[in-house]
Amino acid sequence: MLRLIGQRLGLGLLTLVAASVLIFAGTEVLPGDLASAILQNTATPESLAELRQELGLNRPAAVRYFDWASHAVVGEFGRSLASHREVVVEIAPRLRNTLFLASYAAIVAVPLAVGLGLMAAIWQGGVYDRAVNFATLLTISVPEYLVGYILIKYFSVRLGWFPSLANVTPDTPLLSRIWLTFLPMLTLVLVVIAHMMRMTRASVLQIMSSPYIEMAFLKGLPKWRVVIRHAFPNAVAPIISVVALDLAYLIVGVVVVEVVFVYPGLGQLMVDAVSKHDVPVVQACGLIFAAAFILLNMAADVLAILSNPRLRHPR
Amino acid sequence: MSELEFWRDQHAAGRISRREFLARAGALGAGAAMGTAMVASVEAQAADMPRKGGTLRLGLAGGSTTDSLDPGSYTDSVMIDAGHAFFNALVEWGEDGKPHPSLAESWEVKPGATEWILNIRKGVTFSNGKTLDADDIVYSLNMHRGKTKSGAAGPFKAVADVKKLAPSQVQVALTGGDADFPYVLTDYHVLIVPNGHTDWTKPVGTGGYVLETFEPGVRITGKRNPNYWKSNRAHVDAFDITVINDSSARLNALMTGQIDAMNRVDAKFVALVKKNPKLEIVRASGGWHAVISMMHDRPPFDNHELRLALKYGIDRERVIKALFSGYATPGNDHPIPRTDPYWNSELPQIKYDPDKAKFHLRKSGLTSPPLVLQCSDAAFSGAVDMAQLFQESAAKAGIRIDLKKEPADGFWDNVWLKGAFVTSYWAGRAAATQMLAVAYAPDAPWNESHYKSEKFAKLLAEARAETDEAKRKPMIWEMQSLLYHDGATIVPVFRDWLDAHNKNVGGHTPHGGFDMNNGWIVEQAWLKA
């Protein structure tokens, strides 16, 4: 068990290094550089040269990469090339916001999706099953910004219940934070719920065709009890891996939602940084995103192992 | 504006009293009844009088996580509006298009317009308690000279020397005469900071507000400077700028009352805003113009007839309708907007005319010139659509234009100033001579069309050195006419600035220079009760 987890961790680190090289290479092949991105058409050759010198852009790419990597290992991500602020200072509040919104959405979406999925499995083929399938497919098929705008139109413009701007600050108290980010949370929930709900339903139904389930029915147990006590625990592994993927999406893939609700998250920061070729920030964001993906997938693997007695107690 | 109207407005703005106004009106020969009627109209507008207090909440496009408070680094609305709350300029560009004194109380020019003496306002203090003096001015102006990354480095190349003459007098020497030099001082980068200041995380200025919080690309807030030297400005107690780059999100925030005012209303949404009884559009036609530049010295664009064919081959009205929903005016292939006092009103407007375009193409002797227009939305949002409209309308005249969509990334670096046929834009300048100099002078580094006319250069130098308005006008008109007839730049449209606010906001007025009162919104606006 421990060896398995150690192995996964090592592989994860390797993936992380590979990801950092890829991200760096990606920002290198883009045309133009930070200096011209900052100055736009107010640039003179002199001011460009001055800015490049100041930013250290005239050193070779490999030198800059290793310089950065050796510092990153000890937790120094350097300063943003554009704003001169510590990358950590720049990222920390954004990362907190991103994690807050992701957890908020996950806390609502995961129980809801699993519950809906279980009910769909219990009433398989019924009106409820079809309705919930249709509704969730609809919300996943509509682009998330449109979902966002529709929610804004009804809940914010018409009814005025929730604000359309989720402009939280580091000192926003928790309750008003929950209220401010309600609509972005709801948007994300609507986007991810279908995936998890359908996986729950499908994997429970697959287990339902096993002989031991038939046995449970023959004992005279009610259907809900069979589904929840006997089928669900054995169906949990694939659900966990889907949940992990969706959680990773909630952390790394929400830039569109951030833009629509003007939420100061990590995605927007990374987009800005990429367009300005601000490599330290891009690298740090990229590393965080890669780490989130790797960690969540690893957690899913470990949880899947724990949920399976045959893997938990290998012979 | 008649003098009487001027005094009425002064009275309306609270600059002179009712008694003073009636005295002035009497002196001007206005009957007592007329004067009193005007007073009544002013008093009816009293609801529009500036009111103190409240927090002005702005939702602005044009902010990024890479923003800095260093005035030399400003490129867009968010930092410009915030910077103008913290700092003052030497000279302000008024709504009337004229330079108005600010930290420079007055200025004198020596004949030839190469030497300028600036008299610095006395008794002004910075937010750190230091008193403003000539050293601060010298330091602040020198930030844009020599080895600098300032956005004002271009116009400041003409500054040969900045010297302190007395504790509140500064002399600026220019390399060539420039009667419009005060306009250079209205550049939004040229803000005054204390001598030796370098820590831009802690701005120190003489402005109406002091910084409270700054999260680049997210929000900037400030509170009123209680010792502000301008008595008729800085009405609100605090301001709160939220960066909202998405235009729908900005409008949503305004409609739901989360912000009081916003910039850059998408032209498509103007009708929607007008339907809302709580909201109001602030529209200003100004100097911002789209550009399709050809290189005057590069074949096939060195062919005068081909250039004319292309100028007649673009359907300006359609571009205005399709891209700007009508909130723009057609350009006449020179960069001076109608709002400029030096706009040449005698040049006929170039209109889309496929027959003329065909005629000039035939006359050019070129059968199928290779025309590849390099376009990108990096130039301005909509540039690619404009290029497509151009392609369509030119095709109807038998001119084939191929479009090459360039990546937004690196556009200013790799395409602009390098390609022979590209889309671009200019934000406009306060003075006509500045705009003509920055993009059309033979030695200008940003002369994108490689327009090198000796006659133009001579006229420009003369016009700049000429302080007599009557003599300058024909020169500036002549330059516009040169560009109109022979230039290699197509200026299809001048775009309007479209801001919007909740009707509880006063003092948010149109300015041709830039959105949000040309950047002075924070100290000029107020909140009605």
Side-chain angles (χ1 to χ4, degrees), chain B residues 77-366:
Chain B
S77 293
V78 170
M79 291 320 296
I80 292 173
D81 290 5
H84 285 53
F86 304 133
F87 306 105
N88 283 124
L90 280 169
V91 181
E92 281 176 28
W93 179 13
E95 285 156 47
D96 54 3
K98 300 238 157 59
H100 290 264
S102 180
L103 288 182
E105 209 167 30
S106 62
W107 50 86
E108 295 142 39
V109 56
K110 301 274 170 69
T114 50
E115 265 178 49
W116 290 82
I117 312 273
L118 307 172
N119 298 311
I120 310 307
R121 193 173 294 275
K122 297 187 185 85
V124 174
T125 50
F126 284 100
S127 55
N128 65 359
K130 184 189 179 305
T131 307
L132 173 79
D133 62 29
D135 292 319
D136 304 316
I137 307 296
V138 173
Y139 176 78
S140 301
L141 293 181
N142 280 336
M143 288 199 306
H144 312 287
R145 300 179 58 216
K147 274 179 76 171
T148 177
K149 47 182 191 180
S150 161
F156 267 71
K157 272 193 176 163
V159 175
D161 188 36
V162 180
K163 203 164 63 186
K164 169 180 170 180
L165 290 185
S168 32
Q169 209 172 43
V170 172
Q171 175 186 293
V172 180
L174 307 177
T175 52
D178 185 0
D180 287 325
F181 181 69
Y183 285 105
V184 173
L185 299 176
T186 68
D187 186 301
Y188 60 77
H189 301 99
V190 185
L191 300 174
I192 304 306
V193 302
N195 189 7
H197 189 81
T198 49
D199 183 3
W200 297 116
T201 56
K202 295 183 186 66
V204 177
T206 57
Y209 294 82
V210 289
L211 179 71
E212 287 240 289
T213 54
F214 177 40
E215 295 169 59
V218 181
R219 68 198 286 254
I220 309 173
T221 64
K223 62 169 197 280
R224 196 175 187 281
N225 168 8
N227 308 316
Y228 193 36
W229 60 275
K230 287 187 201 173
S231 52
N232 58 345
R233 294 275 185 93
H235 308 295
V236 293
D237 291 337
F239 73 91
D240 185 339
I241 295 177
T242 306
V243 179
I244 313 180
N245 287 321
D246 182 62
S247 73
S248 319
R250 219 159 45 242
L251 193 56
N252 278 332
L254 185 70
M255 294 209 290
T256 55
Q258 285 181 281
I259 55 171
D260 301 310
M262 65 179 270
N263 65 350
R264 293 189 216 160
V265 180
D266 192 325
K268 291 193 275 293
F269 296 150
V270 171
L272 189 74
V273 176
K274 284 189 170 163
K275 262 197 275 173
N276 190 319
K278 278 189 287 184
L279 307 182
E280 216 166 27
I281 290 279
V282 178
R283 176 187 182 186
S285 46
W288 188 102
H289 54 280
V291 160
I292 298 171
S293 79
M294 312 173 259
M295 279 189 182
H296 199 268
D297 55 355
R298 222 175 284 168
F301 304 106
D302 54 350
N303 186 316
H304 176 69
E305 296 297 328
L306 175 71
R307 292 200 301 271
L308 282 182
L310 289 170
K311 286 181 177 183
Y312 283 114
I314 181 162
D315 190 343
R316 293 157 210 251
E317 291 300 332
R318 242 192 107 199
V319 171
I320 290 175
K321 242 184 235 145
L323 257 59
F324 303 97
S325 301
Y327 294 98
T329 44
N332 222 4
D333 298 341
H334 64 71
I336 309 304
R338 275 155 213 263
T339 46
D340 194 293
Y342 290 107
W343 178 65
N344 186 335
S345 57
E346 278 169 14
L347 292 174
Q349 174 63 47
I350 305 183
K351 290 208 172 80
Y352 176 50
D353 190 334
D355 294 328
K356 268 194 189 158
K358 256 182 218 159
F359 168 76
H360 287 289
L361 181 66
R362 214 175 312 122
K363 222 171 143 194
S364 74
L366 301 165

Side-chain angles (χ1 to χ4, degrees), chain B residues 268-519:
Chain B
K268 291 193 275 293
F269 296 150
V270 171
L272 189 74
V273 176
K274 284 189 170 163
K275 262 197 275 173
N276 190 319
K278 278 189 287 184
L279 307 182
E280 216 166 27
I281 290 279
V282 178
R283 176 187 182 186
S285 46
W288 188 102
H289 54 280
V291 160
I292 298 171
S293 79
M294 312 173 259
M295 279 189 182
H296 199 268
D297 55 355
R298 222 175 284 168
F301 304 106
D302 54 350
N303 186 316
H304 176 69
E305 296 297 328
L306 175 71
R307 292 200 301 271
L308 282 182
L310 289 170
K311 286 181 177 183
Y312 283 114
I314 181 162
D315 190 343
R316 293 157 210 251
E317 291 300 332
R318 242 192 107 199
V319 171
I320 290 175
K321 242 184 235 145
L323 257 59
F324 303 97
S325 301
Y327 294 98
T329 44
N332 222 4
D333 298 341
H334 64 71
I336 309 304
R338 275 155 213 263
T339 46
D340 194 293
Y342 290 107
W343 178 65
N344 186 335
S345 57
E346 278 169 14
L347 292 174
Q349 174 63 47
I350 305 183
K351 290 208 172 80
Y352 176 50
D353 190 334
D355 294 328
K356 268 194 189 158
K358 256 182 218 159
F359 168 76
H360 287 289
L361 181 66
R362 214 175 312 122
K363 222 171 143 194
S364 74
L366 301 165
T367 43
S368 58
L371 302 173
V372 181
L373 177 58
Q374 292 172 281
C375 54
S376 165
D377 275 347
F380 61 92
S381 147
V384 174
D385 296 335
M386 180 181 78
Q388 275 162 351
L389 288 172
F390 186 21
Q391 184 183 35
E392 251 176 66
S393 61
K396 281 185 201 144
I399 305 171
R400 186 192 151 147
I401 297 174
D402 291 316
L403 300 185
K404 186 164 176 238
K405 271 187 214 162
E406 298 288 346
D409 232 353
F411 177 79
W412 298 112
D413 216 17
N414 303 332
V415 180
W416 187 60
L417 297 182
K418 303 216 165 57
F421 195 26
V422 299
T423 60
S424 150
Y425 81 95
W426 282 102
R429 292 292 186 273
T433 54
Q434 278 182 313
M435 190 59 237
L436 292 165
V438 75
Y440 303 94
D443 53 347
W446 299 328
N447 185 338
E448 53 194 351
S449 63
H450 290 194
Y451 179 68
K452 296 200 165 112
S453 154
E454 270 176 40
K455 192 174 173 200
F456 183 93
K458 200 167 149 271
L459 278 169
L460 181 61
E462 278 172 17
R464 296 183 79 170
E466 183 57 69
T467 44
D468 182 352
E469 296 265 324
K471 287 189 193 150
R472 305 184 77 195
K473 193 172 151 187
M475 300 178 195
I476 297 175
W477 277 39
E478 174 73 18
M479 282 186 274
Q480 293 171 58
S481 158
L482 282 175
L483 290 174
Y484 173 89
H485 289 293
D486 186 43
T489 305
I490 300 175
V491 181
V493 292
F494 284 84
R495 182 184 70 183
D496 293 346
W497 297 110
L498 294 168
D499 300 342
H501 62 228
N502 195 304
K503 281 187 179 156
N504 73 342
V505 175
H508 179 192
T509 47
H511 192 297
F514 203 63
D515 53 22
M516 305 312 266
N517 292 23
N518 197 30

Side-chain angles (χ1 to χ4, degrees), chain A residues 30-32 36 42-43 47 50-51 54 82 85 94 149 152 156 163-165 169 259-260 262 269 272 276-277, chain B residues 64-66 75 147-149 157 216 218-219 243-244 246 248-249 252-253 256 258 409-410 412-414 416 425 446:
Chain A
L30 292 173
S36 63
T42 60
S47 57
E50 180 65 21
L51 192 57
E54 187 190 305
R85 301 203 306 169
R94 303 272 193 147
Y149 284 141
I152 287 178
S156 189
S164 72
L165 281 189
T169 63
V259 169
V260 169
V262 197
L269 179 71
D272 273 2
K276 292 270 158 75
H277 296 245
Chain B
S64 146
T65 47
T66 54
T75 56
K147 274 179 76 171
T148 177
K149 47 182 191 180
K157 272 193 176 163
V218 181
R219 68 198 286 254
V243 179
I244 313 180
D246 182 62
S248 319
N252 278 332
T256 55
Q258 285 181 281
D409 232 353
W412 298 112
D413 216 17
N414 303 332
W416 187 60
Y425 81 95
W446 299 328

